[in-house]
Amino acid sequence: MTTRYRLGGLSRLDTTLMAAGAVLLALLLVLPLVASPLVVDKLTLLMIYVLLAVSWNLLAGFAGLVSVGQQTFVGLSGYFVLRLVEAGIAPLPALAAGSAAVLVVAWPLSWIVLRLRAAEFAVAMWVIAETIRSLVMFDPLVQGETGRSLMTLNAMDADLRRTIVLLAAVLAVSVALVTSYRLLRGRLGGESQAIRDDEEAAGSIGIDTLRVKRTIFLVSALGCTVAGSLWLASAITYQPRTAFGINWSVFMLFMVLVGGLGSFTGPVIGALLLFAIQEVFGDYGSWYLAGLGVVAILFALYAPGGVVGLITGRSLREPLSMRKTLVAPRG
Amino acid sequence: MTRNTNITRRRFGALAGAIGAGVLAAGVAPRAFAASHADMIRIGWVGPRSGPLGIFGEADAWLTDTFAARHAEGIEIGGKTYGVEVILVDTQSDPVRASQETRNLINGQSPDIVISSSTPETTNPVADACEAAGVPSITTIAPWESFFFGRGGKPGERSFKWTYHFSFGAGDFAPLYADGWSKIDTNRKVGMLVPNDADGNAIRAGLIPALEAAGFEVFDAGPYENMTADFSNQINYFKQSGVDIINAFPFPPDFPVFWRQAAQLGLAQQVRIMQMAKAGLFAAEMEALGTLGYGLCTGAYWHRDFPTTSPATGLSSAELAQGFEAAIGKQWTQQAGAQAALLDVTLAALVASGNPNDKAAVAAALDTLTTETAVGTVDFARGPMPGIATTPLVNCQWVKSESGPHDFALDITANALAPDVPISADLKPYRIGG
């Protein structure tokens, strides 16, 4: 007699979490109506962090591609926005188009870097980030170190601009969460996790590893570019050393490592944590950065599953897990 | 990835609690109250006070206290007496943080005016945040060209509505040097050491032709990358060209590397004037160079011998330097006067506005403001661009201090741009060891 197994569905916890997340995001959409500018500004930053963490986790947690060069896309989107605005396009469309334009760079890039493995990939991404920064700094518009400001955004009423940026950020996070959830729950999720666990084996059972990795790479790059545009829209000042700074990668790494590498909820928790830590300890300057490093090391050593791992313990009942579980029929 | 963790959930909770308690004990941003009145003026002062640029902000807390003490009775403007509150915010030398903290300051503390200083990496993000939020801002100590053009200003147009800047400019170097280098006999051959960065490219395009027009023969060693470890090519080029003068615009940490190699390769022994810009502002940099530092030349935007008084603090330049040394416990720096001047312009703008709580009135007052400050007269009406005022530079030479207690003293050797400032010593040809 054969037993028919089926793939496990969503648990009650999962559906509750999803509903709560949806309600929360919907609340954030109406928040600018009542909240002070300070709150709106801070929430925008939080949304940018969530977006970055989710993008990085997609790459490192699900496809096993550890990159320390995702700032390439953060910096490039800002640069493209500046160029588009200089060409006479209104700032808001330019912000959207600038993000999309980065894919023109990311796509050919993926052909090269995705053939590299592990550490080589990480180093290559960093080198690429630095190279592109140097190139951008040659543009007289950016004026080397000095950078450039997106002054045309100031033509807009400050409150309106803040609200639009927050709404765009909330929207971007919602899209990022839903898209990555659907991607990962589907065939691509299984394939990418197989590649992460053993690329040779995944290839040998017929997975087109390059295609899977490229899809994930591009989606992740898009997340970073949107974060970069949102950042520029809220900060206005563009300085290449900052936009292409390794700090973006450090923050992404911290959020994902502490939140829970390879879990769906981990990066969101990590972003909340980083945001809270920054709010509280940000005034301590270099000590705060050193503290971030220590926390990340402690997590890597003693809690490799991050906060999500600590909560679920060994039960493997991870909320919104992307693991495929088999359920035996009753009886 | 299923290693057992040693931190249980309960212990993690306890840890989190302990961190939370520590947080509550942590202090808030320092601020100085001059007086508590029904009507208050709130000044937000954003600047680098820690990190690599921290030395630029050393005087800030002391100047704020001095300013607050002088106006303890409040400031009378338009028949009303206002209390003053200065909120100090630290950028940690990070442009991202400068932008974020300025927005937090504006949204959280609603200052009437925001002021900021030192390097375009500080002034530009701060001014951008103020422009975006519609809060008047005054900034200083960054070449005005970097501030104006770096933020997308268009010549002749009123590019910014809320942000004002006063500082020296890159265009001042040519007349400053032409005067300063004529003080001793040289072959008028100048070696230029200019990196491939924004300032460097502006200097290459502007200063070199201007020096040639002034009758100097210029030998440009070509653009190089910041943080270079080997300057032997440039040094050999300067030696072969037989230059008597070297003019360097290095990223500050690069200068000691260059000058040590120049001494090893025999260039320092040949040169009569070593003129630095960007580097060499602080005695601390000279002390790091040791005996090689005696005789180096640098431009200065303030000096203790300036015949000026800071109205905001009530201190003369000499008193500012003394006060700085007494309060900080270190040798005075140019920042003591420069930051006092920032407070001077701020106070003058608030008074001239007639209503310091009206942001539009403060900005309107700044449009045509003329005031005396620790660095000299600041005149926005005459500025090279709308919202920009220029202040002069003098040329100085670091020499071995004869009276102590510090190793180095700064002599004023040329004053063509600021004839009111007395020359305190003749320029001496460079000689290793002073």
Side-chain angles (χ1 to χ4, degrees):
Chain A
M1 168 183 170
T2 53
T3 321
R4 290 181 60 84
Y5 289 89
R6 60 184 176 81
L7 280 175
L10 292 169
S11 72
R12 172 165 292 179
L13 176 68
D14 288 351
T15 42
T16 319
L17 265 178
M18 286 165 100
V23 169
L24 205 66
L25 286 171
L27 276 180
L28 281 177
L29 282 175
V30 293
L31 190 93
L33 295 177
V34 286
S36 74
L38 186 66
V39 174
V40 173
D41 252 3
K42 296 224 176 227
L43 281 174
T44 308
L45 184 65
L46 176 62
M47 290 296 121
I48 291 171
Y49 282 168
V50 173
L51 201 55
L52 287 171
V54 168
S55 305
W56 201 78
N57 185 43
L58 208 56
L59 206 57
F62 291 104
L65 294 165
V66 176
S67 162
V68 285
Q70 292 306 94
Q71 65 269 26
T72 311
F73 307 116
V74 179
L76 260 185
S77 67
Y79 171 66
F80 284 161
V81 173
L82 283 180
R83 266 278 155 219
L84 288 171
V85 166
E86 187 69 12
I89 296 175
L92 285 182
L95 283 166
S99 309
V102 173
L103 285 181
V104 178
V105 177
W107 195 68
L109 209 59
S110 70
W111 286 88
I112 308 164
V113 291
L114 291 179
R115 283 162 212 280
L116 303 171
R117 295 280 176 89
E120 292 169 359
F121 171 78
V123 172
M125 285 304 294
W126 192 356
V127 170
I128 286 166
E130 287 295 294
T131 311
I132 295 185
R133 174 184 58 74
S134 310
L135 291 176
V136 164
M137 279 168 63
F138 274 116
D139 187 335
L141 179 74
V142 176
Q143 306 180 82
E145 306 271 347
T146 312
R148 184 88 176 180
S149 310
L150 195 63
M151 292 314 289
T152 45
L153 259 190
N154 287 337
M156 206 180 287
D157 174 62
D159 276 332
L160 180 67
R161 183 173 49 84
R162 248 195 303 271
T163 307
I164 290 178
V165 174
L166 177 65
L167 293 186
V170 172
L171 202 69
V173 166
S174 313
V175 170
L177 286 173
V178 172
T179 314
S180 59
Y181 182 82
R182 295 195 60 130
L183 269 180
L184 292 172
R185 284 297 279 196
R187 186 186 169 89
L188 191 83
E191 289 176 335
S192 68
Q193 290 177 72
I195 294 172
R196 175 193 63 193
D197 296 340
D198 189 334
E199 189 162 347
E200 310 273 308
S204 74
I205 56 168
I207 296 174
D208 182 351
T209 56
L210 203 60
R211 180 188 58 82
V212 172
K213 287 200 292 185
R214 188 182 309 124
T215 313
I216 300 246
F217 181 80
L218 290 181
V219 172
S220 168
L222 189 63
C224 292
T225 63
V226 172
S229 292
L230 288 168
W231 162 256
L232 180 62
S234 59
I236 295 174
T237 314
Y238 180 83
Q239 283 168 329
R241 280 228 190 259
T242 309
F244 287 97
I246 188 73
N247 257 11
W248 294 114
S249 273
V250 173
F251 285 163
M252 287 185 239
L253 206 135
F254 177 88
M255 291 187 282
V256 173
L257 211 59
V258 170
L261 182 73
S263 68
F264 188 76
T265 44
V268 181
I269 295 172
L272 281 167
L273 259 174
L274 175 68
F275 179 75
I277 293 175
Q278 212 167 47
E279 281 303 296
V280 175
F281 296 107
D283 291 337
Y284 293 94
S286 41
W287 286 109
Y288 140 78
L289 287 174
L292 280 188
V294 170
V295 171
I297 290 170
L298 287 178
F299 266 93
L301 284 178
Y302 298 112
V307 174
V308 170
L310 286 176
I311 293 172
T312 50
R314 310 185 79 176
S315 69
L316 291 181
R317 285 191 52 82
E318 179 201 322
L320 292 173
S321 175
M322 292 300 150
R323 286 200 180 89
K324 309 276 188 233
T325 46
L326 286 179
V327 181
R330 283 170 194 274
Chain B
M1 294 280 274
T2 48
R3 276 180 52 192
N4 205 356
T5 65
N6 290 330
I7 300 177
T8 62
R9 235 185 295 172
R10 187 168 299 169
R11 279 175 60 202
F12 185 78
L15 191 68
I19 292 170
V23 167
L24 288 177
V28 288
R31 45 174 77 186
F33 286 91
S36 222
H37 287 262
D39 297 301
M40 290 293 291
I41 303 172
R42 294 153 84 85
I43 302 170
W45 190 354
V46 186
R49 294 184 188 103
S50 59
L53 303 175
I55 195 167
F56 282 95
E58 269 180 344
D60 297 359
W62 164 68
L63 281 172
T64 303
D65 290 342
T66 311
F67 176 69
R70 180 168 165 83
H71 301 283
E73 301 300 314
I75 299 171
E76 205 186 306
I77 300 170
K80 263 205 261 184
T81 306
Y82 293 84
V84 192
E85 182 185 352
V86 181
I87 305 152
L88 291 179
V89 179
D90 182 10
T91 67
Q92 296 170 5
S93 306
D94 176 359
V96 174
R97 203 178 149 83
S99 167
Q100 258 169 25
E101 289 295 308
T102 308
R103 278 180 285 152
N104 290 348
L105 171 76
I106 291 171
N107 292 328
Q109 316 262 0
S110 36
D112 296 298
I113 190 164
V114 172
I115 61 178
S116 178
S117 163
S118 311
T119 78
E121 283 71 29
T122 311
T123 56
N124 291 12
V126 171
D128 283 348
C130 293
E131 188 76 40
V135 175
S137 84
I138 305 172
T139 48
T140 186
I141 308 302
W144 68 262
E145 293 93 340
S146 299
F147 176 87
F148 187 81
F149 298 111
R151 297 181 56 226
K154 301 258 182 335
E157 264 177 47
R158 198 186 148 78
S159 305
F160 315 118
K161 200 172 156 198
W162 298 101
T163 47
Y164 296 82
H165 186 76
F166 68 97
S167 182
F168 53 88
D172 298 336
F173 288 118
L176 178 75
Y177 294 159
D179 169 49
W181 297 343
S182 313
K183 302 283 176 183
I184 56 173
D185 270 344
T186 64
N187 60 10
R188 294 178 84 81
K189 288 183 176 176
V190 185
M192 297 292 289
L193 185 73
V194 184
N196 179 28
D197 62 12
D199 294 344
N201 295 328
I203 289 298
R204 183 163 278 115
L207 179 60
I208 291 181
L211 284 177
E212 281 170 340
F216 291 93
E217 195 180 345
V218 178
F219 297 87
D220 182 2
Y224 66 93
E225 287 305 311
N226 283 332
M227 305 299 276
T228 296
D230 178 11
F231 286 98
S232 49
N233 279 339
Q234 288 89 342
I235 290 168
N236 285 329
Y237 173 67
F238 291 149
K239 277 176 70 179
Q240 281 156 18
S241 313
V243 298
D244 269 358
I245 304 167
I246 293 178
N247 186 195
F249 282 77
F251 184 54
D254 282 346
F255 184 75
V257 179
F258 167 70
W259 199 236
R260 286 208 181 92
Q261 291 177 3
Q264 282 158 10
L265 297 175
L267 175 67
Q269 289 79 348
Q270 156 193 338
V271 162
R272 288 173 67 79
I273 299 175
M274 177 62 237
Q275 177 79 48
M276 305 172 287
K278 271 169 87 172
L281 294 176
F282 297 101
E285 293 173 73
M286 294 298 107
E287 282 156 13
L289 263 173
T291 49
L292 285 180
Y294 300 125
L296 299 180
C297 294
T298 182
Y301 39 81
W302 181 78
H303 189 285
R304 64 178 302 158
D305 291 348
F306 268 39
T308 50
T309 296
S310 151
T313 58
L315 301 177
S316 70
S317 287
E319 287 166 341
L320 278 169
Q322 282 159 10
F324 178 93
E325 290 185 348
I328 319 285
K330 294 184 188 169
Q331 190 172 4
W332 67 272
T333 73
Q334 297 186 40
Q335 286 301 104
Q339 306 292 69
L342 183 58
L343 290 174
D344 294 337
V345 175
T346 308
L347 180 66
L350 293 170
V351 171
S353 72
N355 179 3
N357 296 139
D358 179 352
K359 295 188 171 65
V362 174
L366 273 162
D367 274 337
T368 53
L369 188 76
T370 304
T371 182
E372 292 304 317
T373 75
V375 296
T377 309
V378 167
D379 184 353
F380 282 101
R382 201 170 50 94
M385 299 285 166
I388 304 281
T390 53
T391 58
L393 289 169
V394 292
N395 211 20
C396 295
Q397 186 169 35
W398 287 106
V399 296
K400 195 178 174 74
S401 172
E402 280 163 15
S403 49
H406 303 288
D407 236 10
F408 281 85
L410 192 64
D411 280 337
I412 301 176
T413 54
N415 64 352
L417 300 179
D420 297 347
V421 177
I423 288 179
S424 63
D426 291 332
L427 181 68
K428 294 179 243 340
Y430 182 82
R431 199 166 61 86
I432 291 179

